[in-house]
Amino acid sequence: MTLLLLTLQGVLARRRSWWVGLLAAGAAALLTPSLALVETIHDGTRRSLIESGAGHLQVYHSGSPETPVLLTGPGGAPELVPFEDFPATEALVRSVEGVQDVVPMEAGTASVFRGNYLDEKLAAVRAVTREPASEARDARLGRLAEDLRRTLERVAHDERQREQAFAGDVGLPEDRRTLEAVTADAFWVRFRTNPEAALEYLEERVAKLAGEGESLSLDYLGTDPVQFARAFPRFELLSGELPPPGSRGILLGQAAYEQNFKLPIALRLDELRREREHGGSFADERLKTQVERNLAELPDLLSRLDVERASALRATLVRVLGHEGELEPLLREFLSVEDGTFDTRYRLFYDELAPHLPLYRVRPGETLTLRNRLLSAANVPVRVWGTFRFRGLGGDTSQVNSTCLVDLVSARLLAGRQTREQQEEARALVAAFGMSKEQLSADTLGRPMIVDVEPQAPGAEAPVLERSEVAGSVSDEELRAGSVLHAAIVLRPGTSAEDVTVRLQRLVAERKQPLAIVSWEEVGGLFSGVVGISQLVLGVFAALLAFFVLLVATGTLLLLAKERVGEVGTLRAMGMQRREVFSSLLLEGLVLGGVGGLLGSGLGAALLLGLAGGGIPVSDDMLQFALGGAVLVPQLAVGHILWVVAGVLGVVMVASLVPAWRGSSVPPVVAMRRRED
Amino acid sequence: MKPSARLPVLLVALLVQVPVLAAEPAKAPAADSKAATGASREELVAYLARIDKRMTFTSDYKGTVRIMGLSKQNSETAVEIHVYRRDKTRDLLFMTTKPKYMAGSGYLRVGNNLWEYEPTVGQWTRSTMRANISGTFTCEADFERSRLAEAYEPKDEGTEVVDGVTYRKLFLTGKPGTEVSFPLLRLWVDPDLNIVKRIGYAPSGKPLRTDIVRGYQRIKDPLTNEFVYHYKEVMEEEAEEGSRVLVRYDEVVLAPLDPSIFTKSWLESRSR
């Protein structure tokens, strides 16, 4: 007690020692909110990943050269060995206490090709020509032909402009002649008598003049979409419906749907709205450019409209703008938005104009043809069932909402893995062809066999084949028993992932199963990296701060110890032991560090709660995913304060060791002599 | 080669990492040529033209191609394709008849336009790239007439003697502005002008595919009354994946084809 009183007296008597306490308080005030923020970020990313597909754990074949990922990078999907028997694996994993669900999955990237607006328009006309002959069909075809002719006249106009820009291009005279031919009356007379031949001509000679078209990339997760929606609480269906159990098809991520399939003019209006919500003004060059791009793309939009839609759109524009006019000038006026008109026009665009526009290139219920261009895999037509997003994880541009869900069978086909039925057919065909695997051995150079063959006489006409429907449903056995690459494990609330990992690993070892387990952090890839980086930054910051506190505190305490040599000598002369002096000096550090740490932590916590207690709004889509939602609410725990106080205390204690040792090691005689000096 | 066609080839090339390259780099010729013939460019072009002529039909052509594939994972594929071609106009049509899930799909080339047809959705895709055919890594050029002299600039790489047979080696570079499946090509040609082996490379020099031509069929072209040497059996190996396919050319019919065959409507009418 005496020692403590003596220490407190020492601290109170020497105000310079308070600097050490202030340093400790400052460090604690900085570290407490930082630790809470990093912990909140970690928790946010953890929840984001776990609740949007990663699950708490992922299980995969241990013989795989790579580990599973949720979002594929530029290198494509990871190379994984399929489970030997997924139903058995699933049963094994489900038997572990704490496991709630096991969701099969595989990540990949597919491409969708879309042609230019003429390709689309000609395809629409072609579809009408295929309808059974009727007066109504002919009337519609006539209207479409008239509309097509106007479109081609516009293309011809563009082409003339292009010719001026690229004079001397050898391809242009031929293109010009073609355009002149298809905008002449004679061509449209022929169109009426033989529309299919005229369409062929337009498709072969004219469509390419409107551009090459483009290939879109879609990131997908092959899974059981219904089970996925049930297992991951962030899943939110936005349009369409969930595929009925056992159905094949795709659910498009809302961001993928908006970015890839939405009418570009509408997409740009959405971007303008976002910019304005963030304080943007049409005085900004960026916003002005967006408006100009919309106006520049009007011919493209007009070319996509058939005659019925164009008439309806014009009537709507006349009504909302309050005056007559042709469609293009009316649209131009409507889209020439500025600060005062944007909000009204934006609302009118969606309420009044959008119903007459091809707002999306594909809608739920229609079919998309997917392809994996990196592999020699066949086309995979899939029905679009609807669109979805992960609730609270970014809006229409969020990367996580760019992921689509396809059924497992389609995912296997996209990855070049056949269904069992296809494998059986392939084996039968190979036998029927009279071929065998042995013939595939690589030869060295050798002279080829020459056989004399009589050309066959023209035989029967080419066969007419049964058109297979877009696969709608598939048996549960085909879904589950086919190859599965990895599976997400979702745990029951309150279950520790570490405990389940240990239990599962024990079971896998007992059963000698070739299974490996990874946590959500490894599956998260880039996003987990954000957490790692924030933790690293905090660690470096804390280490630098500790080093600074250590240096300054040591220097200050050494100086104080030097000043106190005489006092120490007197105390020693009065019979105080060296050990007691050492403890007293060390206790001073403890008091300074403890009080400073507590006050600093309290201050940091108050600041955090005062400034950000209500939550920090997160508008950026990417950050929303990394931070776990649209609002970051720092979670301050008693543990954070204890950790910080303990850390600061530890640093100050270490800083006190040398001064305490130096101060206590002075012999009384020397100390007394110094005092006399 | 147009930029639109070059891009996918470049992308493929970037992804290709193959040991074959180390063994057979696409370096400039002559450096490894032990017995260079020293033929002039004109002689080499004439040599290629002779190869082309031997392989070109004047008549319209219809044939059935059967392909067996084996992936690196040992899974089998089998495809049967009906090929229709008219070399005079470079029209080409493929219609896949087997397996069932691909039946009715096809490719149509008219002039420089290439379309792909997906019968399940009745959808045509105007392709900007020279795609692989029917889920295999064979490509369009495998089924059209030989255009080596037109499309490539040849360089002599001397000869290689195997089992007493002297094979002539040529290294070909695709001419600018010409659409070719392989921007660089190395050929081994036997004394009778039969190509016995070829390796296609990306512009970077990475090998993409190696073909061994195991057999030719000799057919008399009814229009010219001359013999044409048409492939009978080719073994192709994809460098990237290590997958292999065996391609057999059967049931060749040399007779005039109805022009309506090279139309979208015709291919559509083949699926019910």
Side-chain angles (χ1 to χ4, degrees):
Chain A
M1 194 62 191
T2 312
L3 200 63
L4 183 63
L5 284 172
L6 196 64
T7 303
L8 286 176
Q9 273 179 0
V11 169
L12 291 171
R14 285 170 194 81
R15 292 191 176 177
R16 197 183 287 177
S17 69
W18 293 7
W19 282 108
V20 177
L22 279 175
L23 265 175
L30 286 171
L31 286 174
T32 303
S34 302
L35 185 62
L37 276 173
V38 169
E39 276 294 297
T40 307
I41 291 171
H42 179 269
D43 187 53
T45 313
R46 189 185 72 86
R47 277 188 291 111
S48 290
L49 280 164
I50 288 174
E51 293 170 7
S52 65
H56 295 85
L57 301 165
Q58 289 262 345
V59 62
Y60 65 105
H61 196 293
S62 56
S64 303
E66 294 179 80
T67 53
V69 292
L70 203 58
L71 297 171
T72 52
E79 195 178 340
L80 297 172
V81 174
F83 292 116
E84 288 166 0
D85 180 353
F86 179 69
T89 302
E90 186 182 3
L92 180 79
V93 176
R94 281 183 186 276
S95 71
V96 175
E97 187 193 336
V99 171
Q100 180 171 294
D101 212 342
V102 182
V103 187
M105 54 180 60
E106 71 175 272
T109 304
S111 69
V112 178
F113 185 86
R114 65 180 190 193
N116 61 44
Y117 63 86
L118 268 183
D119 287 319
E120 290 180 11
K121 197 155 209 162
L122 292 169
V125 180
R126 180 174 280 280
V128 176
T129 63
R130 281 198 294 249
E131 289 172 8
S134 69
E135 277 187 22
R137 185 204 75 154
D138 293 345
R140 182 164 166 73
L141 202 56
R143 285 197 300 277
L144 290 174
E146 190 54 39
D147 177 51
L148 196 54
R149 183 176 179 175
R150 277 203 300 275
T151 303
L152 291 172
E153 282 167 355
R154 196 174 297 118
V155 173
H157 174 70
D158 288 351
E159 190 57 30
R160 275 196 289 278
Q161 288 179 333
R162 213 175 304 161
E163 189 179 357
Q164 288 168 2
F166 301 101
D169 189 321
V170 289
L172 282 174
E174 190 190 338
D175 294 344
R176 194 179 57 234
R177 279 196 296 277
T178 305
L179 285 170
E180 281 168 4
V182 299
T183 48
D185 290 339
F187 181 84
W188 296 99
V189 171
R190 284 205 302 279
F191 189 98
R192 278 193 287 279
T193 52
N194 189 355
E196 287 189 352
L199 274 175
E200 295 266 1
Y201 186 82
L202 291 171
E203 286 164 342
E204 288 168 14
R205 306 289 179 86
V206 183
K208 64 177 181 178
L209 301 179
E212 290 283 14
E214 59 184 324
S215 197
L216 311 168
S217 273
L218 289 181
D219 286 335
Y220 66 82
L221 268 182
T223 184
D224 176 343
V226 178
Q227 189 189 3
F228 187 96
R230 204 174 47 226
F232 297 104
R234 296 267 192 175
F235 180 95
E236 181 181 21
L237 190 73
L238 290 179
S239 66
E241 58 181 313
L242 280 176
S247 296
R248 285 187 53 194
I250 187 167
L251 284 171
L252 292 168
Q254 181 66 10
Y257 191 51
E258 292 288 311
Q259 299 296 319
N260 295 324
F261 298 100
K262 196 170 195 176
L263 186 72
I265 285 178
L267 189 64
R268 229 167 267 125
L269 287 175
D270 295 343
E271 284 170 17
L272 285 171
R273 192 197 56 169
R274 278 195 289 272
E275 293 278 352
R276 279 177 53 75
E277 281 174 354
H278 292 108
S281 154
F282 284 90
D284 299 345
E285 204 53 45
R286 199 156 41 134
L287 272 70
K288 268 196 276 191
T289 307
Q290 295 285 63
V291 174
E292 282 162 15
R293 284 182 65 190
N294 264 0
L295 297 178
E297 284 189 16
L298 270 182
D300 184 81
L301 169 62
L302 293 170
S303 304
R304 289 176 194 274
L305 296 177
D306 58 35
V307 66
E308 288 101 341
R309 281 182 159 178
S311 307
L313 186 63
R314 185 184 158 280
T316 306
L317 281 165
V318 166
R319 183 162 49 78
V320 299
L321 292 174
H323 62 83
E324 288 290 329
E326 289 298 311
L327 177 57
E328 184 167 352
L330 286 171
L331 257 178
R332 188 169 292 279
E333 181 186 335
F334 184 88
L335 292 172
S336 300
V337 285
E338 51 195 31
D339 286 325
T341 56
F342 179 79
D343 293 339
T344 311
R345 295 274 169 88
Y346 183 80
R347 184 177 52 74
L348 284 171
F349 180 83
Y350 280 102
D351 290 350
E352 303 279 348
L353 272 59
H356 310 300
L357 294 172
L359 204 57
Y360 294 94
R361 284 174 187 254
V362 66
R363 287 187 175 276
E366 295 175 357
T367 303
L368 267 185
T369 302
L370 305 180
R371 181 165 196 152
N372 185 340
R373 291 262 176 210
L374 294 177
L375 290 170
S376 302
N379 290 334
V380 181
V382 287
R383 178 191 164 113
V384 177
W385 287 99
T387 62
F388 77 99
R389 72 175 167 207
F390 292 107
R391 196 182 295 113
L393 297 184
D396 297 346
T397 57
S398 157
Q399 193 181 352
V400 70
N401 288 337
S402 297
T403 303
C404 305
L405 301 181
V406 298
D407 65 278
L408 284 167
V409 175
S410 298
R412 286 175 202 137
L413 294 175
L414 283 166
R417 305 198 308 278
Q418 300 166 311
T419 63
R420 201 175 298 168
E421 190 185 341
Q422 288 168 353
Q423 286 170 355
E424 283 165 12
E425 189 185 6
R427 273 194 290 273
L429 282 175
V430 166
F433 291 171
M435 295 176 169
S436 67
K437 288 182 185 177
E438 288 70 40
Q439 291 168 299
L440 288 166
S441 59
D443 289 352
T444 53
L445 284 184
R447 299 195 72 172
M449 170 186 63
I450 310 285
V451 290
D452 279 315
V453 174
E454 283 297 320
Q456 297 190 2
E461 206 184 336
V464 175
L465 305 155
E466 285 298 324
R467 180 186 295 182
S468 55
E469 297 296 319
V470 175
S473 61
V474 64
S475 70
D476 194 49
E477 202 236 342
E478 178 71 56
L479 277 171
R480 296 277 168 169
S483 60
V484 171
L485 296 187
H486 54 110
I489 301 175
V490 179
L491 303 181
R492 292 184 197 287
T495 310
S496 154
E498 288 74 21
D499 291 349
V500 172
T501 306
V502 170
R503 278 178 225 140
L504 187 55
Q505 279 171 336
R506 200 179 301 136
L507 194 61
V508 162
E510 276 171 19
R511 306 274 179 91
K512 294 188 171 63
Q513 291 293 308
L515 298 180
I517 304 151
V518 283
S519 73
W520 61 270
E521 281 171 299
E522 286 164 88
V523 179
L526 172 72
F527 289 104
S528 308
V530 172
V531 176
I533 288 169
S534 66
Q535 287 173 328
L536 185 72
V537 168
L538 176 69
V540 171
F541 174 66
L544 287 174
L545 204 60
F547 187 62
F548 175 74
V549 171
L550 190 72
L551 278 182
V552 177
T554 307
T556 308
L557 292 173
L558 270 174
L559 206 66
L560 286 170
K562 200 174 173 186
E563 283 178 4
R564 294 170 66 184
V565 165
E567 182 190 329
V568 169
T570 306
L571 290 169
R572 293 289 308 277
M574 288 168 68
M576 198 171 188
Q577 295 298 310
R578 183 182 168 187
R579 179 172 45 83
E580 288 170 324
V581 176
F582 178 83
S583 299
S584 169
L585 292 174
L586 205 59
L587 207 54
E588 272 190 35
L590 186 73
V591 168
L592 288 167
V595 172
L598 275 173
L599 285 175
S601 270
L603 180 66
L607 279 173
L608 183 72
L609 295 174
L611 296 176
I616 306 164
V618 183
S619 56
D620 184 84
D621 277 348
M622 179 97 161
L623 281 178
Q624 280 189 16
F625 184 73
L627 303 180
V631 180
L632 177 71
V633 185
Q635 300 294 324
L636 185 68
V638 177
H640 295 142
I641 294 175
L642 291 178
W643 268 107
V644 170
V645 172
V648 167
L649 196 60
V651 170
V652 177
M653 286 290 284
V654 171
S656 308
L657 280 174
V658 174
W661 179 78
R662 294 272 295 267
S664 63
S665 64
V666 182
V669 179
V670 176
M672 296 296 286
R673 195 180 300 137
R674 178 77 60 85
R675 185 148 198 178
E676 284 165 8
D677 293 344
Chain B
M1 197 177 188
K2 287 180 182 174
S4 60
R6 199 180 298 138
L7 180 64
V9 174
L10 280 170
L11 287 173
V12 170
L14 280 171
L15 293 163
V16 169
Q17 293 292 332
V18 209
V20 181
L21 180 64
E24 203 72 60
K27 59 192 172 194
D32 65 342
S33 171
K34 290 177 182 169
T37 58
S40 68
R41 180 186 171 277
E42 288 69 28
E43 286 170 325
L44 291 174
V45 173
Y47 183 75
L48 286 181
R50 284 169 61 201
I51 296 173
D52 287 338
K53 187 169 182 302
R54 288 178 91 245
M55 300 177 72
T56 301
F57 293 110
T58 305
S59 305
D60 289 349
Y61 168 98
K62 175 188 174 303
T64 304
V65 178
R66 296 188 174 93
I67 304 170
M68 172 184 64
L70 193 64
S71 73
K72 198 174 72 170
Q73 290 81 25
N74 219 24
S75 69
E76 284 177 288
T77 52
V79 183
E80 182 183 88
I81 304 168
H82 285 200
V83 178
Y84 301 82
R85 71 186 226 208
R86 173 169 288 171
D87 289 353
K88 282 179 287 192
T89 51
R90 285 202 68 210
D91 291 346
L92 191 63
L93 181 128
F94 305 131
M95 180 174 75
T96 306
T97 49
K98 290 168 186 165
K100 274 186 287 191
Y101 73 99
M102 291 172 82
S105 63
Y107 292 77
L108 169 65
R109 189 185 68 198
V110 177
N112 289 324
N113 293 291
L114 181 68
W115 283 279
E116 200 174 326
Y117 181 59
E118 176 52 55
T120 47
V121 285
Q123 199 175 65
W124 286 93
T125 304
R126 190 159 56 81
S127 182
T128 56
M129 62 188 293
R130 317 326 272 181
N132 290 332
I133 302 298
S134 298
T136 69
F137 53 86
T138 53
C139 55
E140 175 198 345
D142 298 335
F143 307 111
E144 66 170 358
R145 76 175 172 86
S146 182
R147 296 191 299 131
L148 296 172
E150 285 170 45
Y152 288 98
E153 200 59 51
K155 283 184 183 172
D156 200 340
E157 285 198 323
T159 56
E160 187 173 334
V161 179
V162 179
D163 295 335
V165 181
T166 304
Y167 297 94
R168 188 164 189 181
K169 285 174 72 178
L170 293 170
F171 186 76
L172 311 182
T173 306
K175 288 179 182 173
T178 311
E179 298 245 14
V180 286
S181 296
F182 301 108
L184 305 174
L185 199 58
R186 179 172 273 123
L187 299 180
W188 283 256
V189 186
D190 78 2
D192 296 330
L193 294 179
N194 297 310
I195 297 169
V196 295
K197 180 179 173 181
R198 63 186 168 209
I199 302 178
Y201 302 90
S204 63
K206 294 280 183 191
L208 299 173
R209 203 182 83 184
T210 299
D211 301 346
I212 305 289
V213 185
R214 289 179 175 164
Y216 283 91
Q217 44 191 326
R218 194 168 67 159
I219 311 172
K220 190 173 273 183
D221 189 333
L223 274 188
T224 59
N225 235 12
E226 288 182 4
F227 283 110
V228 176
Y229 289 78
H230 181 52
Y231 297 124
K232 179 65 184 168
E233 187 173 298
V234 183
M235 209 279 291
E236 301 175 355
E237 181 170 16
E238 189 186 30
E240 184 189 2
E241 282 289 317
S243 307
R244 291 173 180 178
V245 297
L246 184 71
V247 188
R248 274 206 190 136
Y249 298 75
D250 294 321
E251 293 141 30
V252 175
V253 177
L254 301 177
L257 292 171
D258 187 332
S260 71
I261 286 177
F262 302 102
T263 60
K264 291 181 177 179
S265 310
W266 187 86
L267 189 53
E268 283 177 3
S269 71
R270 298 298 97 190
S271 299
R272 187 163 41 206

